[in-house]
Amino acid sequence: MSKVRVLVGTRKGAFVLTSDGKRERWDISGPHFSGFELYHVKGSPADPNRLYASQCSGWFGQLIQRSNDGGETWEPVGNKFVYDGVPGTHQWYDGTPHPWEFKRVWHLEPSLTDPDTVYAGIEDAAIFRSTDGGQTWGELPGLRGHGSGPRWQPGAGGMCLHTILLDPSNPQRMYIAISAAGAFRTDDDGKTWRPINQGLKSQYIPDPNAEVGHCVHRIAMHRSRPNVLFMQKHWDVMRSDNAGELWQEVSGNLPTDFGFVIDVHAHEPDTIYVVPIKSDEHHYPLDGKLRVYRSRTGGNEWEALTKGLPQSDCYVNVLRDAMAVDSLDKCGVYFGTTGGQVYASADAGDNWTPIVRDLPGVLSVEVQTLP
Amino acid sequence: MIRVVLPAHLRTLAKVDGEVKLEVQGLPTQRSVLDALEACYPMLCGTLRDHVTKQRRPFVRFFACEEDLSHESPDALLPDAVANGTEPCLGVGAIAGG
């Protein structure tokens, strides 16, 4: 029978939750790296026992951990992230130039084919790559070197590169997203990049055709259809059918289209999930009701999924890297909250149950479906 | 022999219990002790001081002989009691926050 491994990064350590394919009973191990912030933990699609974890602390800085046995044991690997050449400046909150400064790794994206190759999205925004299992890291400088770099500005959470999507049909193509610069695409394995933000509307940007400056919170794709992208922007849920060349809003009947996460059903490329949040000033669910919304039409038409989720007095948030799906049939959907709950649905969102309740605030959730 | 006491999280990271004992050539300074520490325990690189600038991380402090040496030059000689192994050099996670 298949197994599921859920990798949870929290404010105070990492946790590994495992279950068989029924997804009814869960074993919990952790905290790993107790006391540290674990921004992201993710496994290699090419070798599910190879895991990477971003571990950081205000005292001791950034560490990267690697496991070769599915999280049973870990070893620290390289943590030296040095910008290529003279770092230059981006725009600070007050509009003045501010030097690029490494702060932390937000996201680790292992290669689809090589367990030793992994990408890191960092704050201040840049993308790094390791081809030796995380021992050494080098920047892909074409992204920051894009002409718009000096105009990038941090969002409230920092100027973080938080999303990295690898195109399974084209190894030369990647998508990334930065708060609050926007989305970018490379078609030459990271050498050059260009913004893909046409069609995004952000109220605080007067130019409707602004090349950069959009606060993209998350992008998702289905591996069978990599030219179709779904985006949760600061406000607005968006869709592109041409690899990001043009976006259209698909918020439809959502009660609020502010949020952080977005993900796609493992087997239905037009079934997508978001967790609407009241507003950027509140960062908790509307009316104290934690509801996942599902669209089976690729957006615009949404249904609330509430069974098993708290429908009163719930004031948690669901952060941008904290939703994932498994690839079992039926598709499992998982998300973690800032209140420390990890909720799972073993039936594509129809019914939910907390598989753990009282972790530290959840920063990230990833899922591995194992044979 | 120089004795170094690491913060608990870094002892875990380096997989050591208690004090670390280091051989340092010549008269010890913060720089030479940290160089020796990082050579023996490369996983500590970047945790006490910056990889490139070698500046102390902002929330890390260095103490010895009941003195805060954090603002001393990294090339200043450490006290004799540290140099002869009578007293340890302490790396401490600064008390910060509300």
Side-chain angles (χ1 to χ4, degrees):
Chain A
M1 177 183 279
S2 298
K3 294 192 297 185
V4 175
R5 184 190 291 143
V6 181
L7 308 172
V8 182
T10 79
R11 293 274 180 208
K12 292 292 179 185
F15 296 82
V16 180
L17 320 179
T18 51
S19 176
D20 62 22
K22 292 181 180 175
R23 295 161 289 182
E24 293 171 350
R25 294 183 180 175
W26 292 86
D27 293 324
I28 300 167
S29 77
H32 303 278
F33 325 116
S34 174
F36 283 80
E37 292 182 310
L38 270 292
Y39 265 65
H40 198 211
V41 187
K42 191 158 188 180
S44 162
D47 174 4
N49 280 330
R50 167 62 63 85
L51 311 181
Y52 294 97
S54 170
Q55 172 189 1
C56 62
S57 119
W59 286 269
F60 307 118
Q62 179 69 50
L63 294 159
I64 301 292
Q65 297 278 351
R66 185 180 73 190
S67 174
N68 293 319
D69 54 15
E72 296 282 327
T73 61
W74 297 84
E75 59 180 324
V77 289
N79 63 343
K80 188 175 182 180
F81 293 87
V82 179
Y83 294 109
D84 185 78
V86 178
T89 60
H90 60 83
Q91 199 174 122
W92 196 233
Y93 295 100
D94 61 3
T96 59
H98 191 84
W100 246 277
E101 297 168 329
F102 172 80
K103 296 185 178 64
R104 60 177 60 83
V105 173
W106 278 67
H107 186 95
L108 291 164
E109 190 66 34
S111 156
L112 299 174
T113 55
D114 174 15
D116 283 336
T117 295
V118 55
Y119 298 86
I122 74 164
E123 177 188 355
D124 290 333
I127 183 168
F128 280 68
R129 176 165 56 194
S130 171
T131 58
D132 56 9
Q135 297 290 358
T136 60
W137 297 88
E139 187 185 6
L140 302 180
L143 175 62
R144 254 177 354 102
H146 178 267
S148 65
R151 287 183 280 130
W152 299 358
Q153 197 169 19
M159 199 171 79
C160 51
L161 194 160
H162 50 70
T163 299
I164 302 171
L165 294 179
L166 308 177
D167 186 333
S169 67
N170 178 359
Q172 300 290 303
R173 175 171 284 183
M174 277 186 276
Y175 304 90
I176 64 94
I178 297 168
S179 289
F184 293 77
R185 192 182 83 202
T186 176
D187 292 324
D188 56 10
D189 195 27
K191 294 182 185 67
T192 61
W193 298 77
R194 63 190 184 89
I196 48 167
N197 298 306
Q198 290 303 305
L200 305 184
K201 311 287 185 207
S202 298
Q203 290 176 336
Y204 48 87
I205 301 178
D207 178 2
N209 298 310
E211 183 181 43
V212 295
H214 299 279
C215 192
V216 178
H217 283 182
R218 187 70 174 165
I219 307 175
M221 71 156 72
H222 190 275
R223 58 180 295 113
S224 72
R225 210 173 54 174
N227 283 349
V228 178
L229 303 175
F230 299 100
M231 174 192 292
Q232 173 67 66
K233 195 161 66 64
H234 193 85
W235 293 97
D236 302 334
V237 178
M238 308 294 294
R239 170 184 177 137
S240 170
D241 290 293
N242 48 17
E245 296 291 337
L246 185 64
W247 296 89
Q248 58 186 353
E249 186 174 354
V250 292
S251 303
N253 62 329
L254 287 172
T256 161
D257 59 12
F258 182 87
F260 290 93
V261 292
I262 190 165
D263 214 336
V264 186
H265 188 291
H267 312 300
E268 300 171 10
D270 264 329
T271 298
I272 54 178
Y273 301 88
V274 296
V275 179
I277 297 296
K278 181 177 179 182
S279 73
D280 49 3
E281 293 178 321
H282 292 86
H283 281 208
Y284 53 69
L286 198 64
D287 301 327
K289 299 177 179 179
L290 183 56
R291 292 173 290 186
V292 176
Y293 275 72
R294 177 174 63 194
S295 170
R296 293 189 182 279
T297 55
N300 284 322
E301 300 165 28
W302 299 88
E303 57 179 325
L305 307 174
T306 62
K307 290 180 183 173
L309 298 175
Q311 294 305 296
S312 64
D313 306 318
C314 183
Y315 294 93
V316 298
N317 196 359
V318 180
L319 299 179
R320 70 188 82 224
D321 237 341
M323 177 179 265
V325 298
D326 69 33
S327 58
L328 294 175
D329 187 21
K330 298 177 173 179
C331 174
V333 188
Y334 306 78
F335 69 93
T337 76
T338 55
Q341 302 85 32
V342 177
Y343 291 97
S345 168
D347 54 11
D350 291 338
N351 294 279
W352 296 87
T353 188
I355 57 177
V356 62
R357 279 188 177 277
D358 297 307
L359 300 184
V362 174
L363 298 170
S364 66
V365 173
E366 294 288 352
V367 179
Q368 296 180 287
T369 309
L370 306 171
Chain B
M1 185 72 71
I2 304 297
R3 298 161 54 200
V4 175
V5 176
L6 294 169
H9 282 313
L10 297 190
R11 289 200 300 272
T12 302
L13 179 66
K15 296 185 170 66
V16 296
D17 292 320
E19 294 180 357
V20 170
K21 295 182 171 57
L22 301 168
E23 293 287 353
V24 175
Q25 298 298 317
L27 294 173
T29 63
Q30 282 185 37
R31 188 189 305 278
S32 65
V33 170
L34 290 171
D35 287 346
L37 181 68
E38 291 174 353
C40 289
Y41 302 96
M43 69 285 282
L44 297 179
C45 291
T47 62
L48 292 164
R49 59 179 179 172
D50 184 85
H51 277 291
V52 176
T53 67
K54 304 298 183 187
Q55 288 188 324
R56 174 178 56 84
R57 290 188 55 79
F59 292 158
V60 169
R61 311 289 292 196
F62 299 126
F63 289 85
C65 305
E66 301 183 356
E67 297 285 337
D68 184 353
L69 307 179
S70 306
H71 297 295
E72 298 292 318
S73 162
D75 295 314
L77 294 178
L78 293 173
D80 291 343
V82 172
N84 63 28
T86 306
E87 290 286 333
C89 187
L90 285 74
V92 176
I95 298 168

